[in-house]
Amino acid sequence: MATSWGTVFFMLVVSCVCSAVSHRNQQTWFEGQLPILEGEVFDSVKPGLSAFVDQPKQGAETVQGLLEVAKDSIPRSHWKKTPVVLKATAGLRLLPEHKAKALLFEVKEIFRKSPFLVPKGSVSIMDGSDEGILAWVTVNFLTGQLHGHRQETVGTLDLGGASTQITFLPQFEKTLEQTPRGYLTSFEMFNSTYKLYTHSYLGFGLKAARLATLGALETEGTDGHTFRSACLPRWLEAEWIFGGVKYQYGGNQEGEVGFEPCYAEVLRVVRGKLHQPEEVQRGSFYAFSYYYDRAVDTDMIDYEKGGILKVEDFERKAREVCDNLENFTSGSPFLCMDLSYITALLKDGFGFADSTVLQLTKKVNNIETGWALGATFHLLQSLGISH
């Protein structure tokens, strides 16, 4: 009989960062019988912690708001045995170390004053490879792929603001032989052994890619300098804050604009920078986060239901938007750049074929598809909680 883990856990999901993947030996995760998920209460706050780089106390107060949601969702009698955990992702990793530590310290203070169980190491920055693995666990658990020992699983693609992850279970020995050291992780889960291909690329998230496309990453000083791109409306003059730094940006007032010159810009960001496992062209993948958001923004999928797209659909929409920039002024000024980058990331970065099918979804069986559920399994195992 499967174990029931009910409402014993509240994971705080806060937008932040990941680190580069390091090689690891086989791990034992999620031992025991397959659990039964009884339900979920999901909430989020925007902007994430990294937006409060110079106001750590104010940033921690946003976490207090999530704890109030937990109080409303969990019976008071269970508060003391309900663990709370904050796992920061790539946004915090990109911050100066002393500023990231200041934010995490204030969150720890909020946790310390809360009525919940605060495990050791409950506030931390998550390793990027773990983020990919945990998202893979979440999706394959929710889709029923982990029920049994068939290992017929789906891959996952996650595109955050600062990093991007790709994770799948290789089916061909050639993939295992040709994969660089550090991209493969073996672990035990629910009495099965999995050897995953997983990698997190720090600096290749959507917002970090904008900086790279604009050339801002190679420029030491930004004061008084305006970064220009063929991906932006010609008339645009604006400012944008990312990672606590303010950038001035705008369109090419006299140069080229449109898809072709824009694609040439984003191509420089990804070409030759990512490993391309040949097997991905034939795999089945779920894609979420900014893949999902940009598809919704351009009416390629429904916000609530999600949808199925091919890689070539992103390129088609990128061409439509970029070659008609004046007609898309109501949305994000980065829409052309973002769609072009997603296209380049999938095709020229990871090596997906135009015809590769992607399932874009926010929820499976009404449960969020991110890494939080997988992290729940890992936490409960580490705490020895089984009921």
Side-chain angles (χ1 to χ4, degrees):
M1 182 177 177
T3 305
S4 175
W5 282 349
T7 310
V8 295
F9 175 78
F10 189 78
M11 172 74 70
L12 298 174
V13 182
V14 183
S15 173
C16 322
V17 189
C18 333
S19 67
V21 175
S22 59
H23 180 71
R24 64 191 67 198
N25 296 322
Q26 179 164 316
Q27 304 178 66
T28 301
W29 284 11
F30 326 116
E31 286 184 310
Q33 296 173 306
L34 202 65
I36 296 172
L37 180 63
E38 295 182 349
E40 172 194 69
V41 175
F42 180 86
D43 202 353
S44 63
V45 291
K46 292 184 179 181
L49 276 183
S50 57
F52 300 93
V53 57
D54 294 317
Q55 299 92 28
K57 287 185 179 294
Q58 187 176 345
E61 288 173 4
T62 65
V63 175
Q64 181 62 53
L66 291 175
L67 290 175
E68 295 303 319
V69 174
K71 289 180 181 179
D72 292 339
S73 307
I74 300 167
R76 182 182 291 268
S77 59
H78 285 61
W79 286 359
K80 289 184 178 180
K81 56 184 178 181
T82 298
V84 289
V85 172
L86 181 138
K87 291 183 175 294
T89 55
L92 240 62
R93 183 68 72 187
L94 286 181
L95 297 181
E97 184 177 359
H98 70 283
K99 293 191 175 185
K101 285 184 175 179
L103 279 164
L104 295 182
F105 174 81
E106 295 298 337
V107 173
K108 290 177 184 177
E109 288 298 295
I110 293 290
F111 273 21
R112 185 178 61 82
K113 298 174 184 177
S114 80
F116 297 107
L117 172 65
V118 182
K120 183 179 180 180
S122 60
V123 179
S124 63
I125 297 178
M126 182 166 51
D127 186 276
S129 60
D130 287 348
E131 187 175 353
I133 293 169
L134 296 174
W136 181 90
V137 169
T138 297
V139 169
N140 283 280
F141 173 82
L142 293 177
T143 56
Q145 307 299 327
L146 302 184
H147 295 70
H149 303 279
R150 296 175 299 168
Q151 294 197 355
E152 296 176 2
T153 60
V154 296
T156 56
L157 296 168
D158 196 353
L159 180 59
S163 66
T164 188
Q165 291 82 37
I166 177 173
T167 306
F168 66 93
L169 184 68
Q171 298 297 315
F172 301 114
E173 191 65 30
K174 181 179 178 181
T175 303
L176 300 176
E177 293 173 353
Q178 297 181 352
T179 295
R181 178 179 173 84
Y183 286 63
L184 296 175
T185 297
S186 295
F187 59 92
E188 294 284 337
M189 180 183 65
F190 305 142
N191 297 322
S192 295
T193 300
Y194 296 89
K195 191 167 189 177
L196 292 183
Y197 175 108
T198 184
H199 197 75
S200 178
Y201 293 92
L202 184 61
F204 287 84
L206 194 71
K207 293 183 179 180
R210 291 174 183 173
L211 294 187
T213 301
L214 292 170
L217 293 179
E218 292 79 34
T219 304
E220 292 185 5
T222 61
D223 290 344
H225 184 87
T226 299
F227 298 96
R228 300 195 178 278
S229 170
C231 304
L232 300 169
R234 193 184 299 277
W235 49 265
L236 182 68
E237 298 290 334
E239 64 179 29
W240 176 53
I241 298 176
F242 178 61
V245 179
K246 183 182 295 184
Y247 299 90
Q248 305 291 329
Y249 68 97
N252 281 349
Q253 295 176 336
E254 297 179 359
E256 290 185 301
V257 296
F259 176 76
E260 294 298 341
C262 175
Y263 199 75
E265 289 183 12
V266 300
L267 203 55
R268 291 195 293 267
V269 177
V270 300
R271 177 170 281 171
K273 308 287 181 62
L274 287 74
H275 180 245
Q276 296 184 345
E278 183 179 333
E279 188 173 330
V280 302
Q281 296 192 18
R282 297 181 293 275
S284 176
F285 281 82
Y286 274 58
F288 29 87
S289 299
Y290 277 117
Y291 292 116
Y292 190 94
D293 294 342
R294 289 298 169 264
V296 168
D297 292 342
T298 50
D299 298 322
M300 288 195 287
I301 61 173
D302 180 80
Y303 174 77
E304 294 294 337
K305 299 178 181 179
I308 297 175
L309 297 176
K310 294 182 179 179
V311 170
E312 62 189 5
D313 292 327
F314 278 105
E315 179 174 352
R316 173 183 55 79
K317 184 58 69 170
R319 288 182 179 276
E320 178 186 338
V321 172
C322 294
D323 290 340
N324 298 277
L325 282 173
E326 304 304 320
N327 296 330
F328 288 89
T329 55
S330 60
S332 167
F334 288 109
L335 194 57
C336 163
M337 184 183 292
D338 291 349
L339 290 169
S340 297
Y341 174 69
I342 287 173
T343 303
L345 178 65
L346 292 171
K347 293 179 58 175
D348 302 280
F350 293 131
F352 284 99
D354 285 337
S355 58
T356 301
V357 175
L358 304 176
Q359 173 75 50
L360 283 89
T361 182
K362 286 179 68 71
K363 296 184 177 184
V364 174
N365 297 328
N366 210 35
I367 303 296
E368 293 287 326
T369 55
W371 50 262
L373 179 59
T376 303
F377 295 151
H378 193 192
L379 176 70
L380 295 177
Q381 168 63 24
S382 68
L383 296 177
I385 298 175
S386 61
H387 62 276

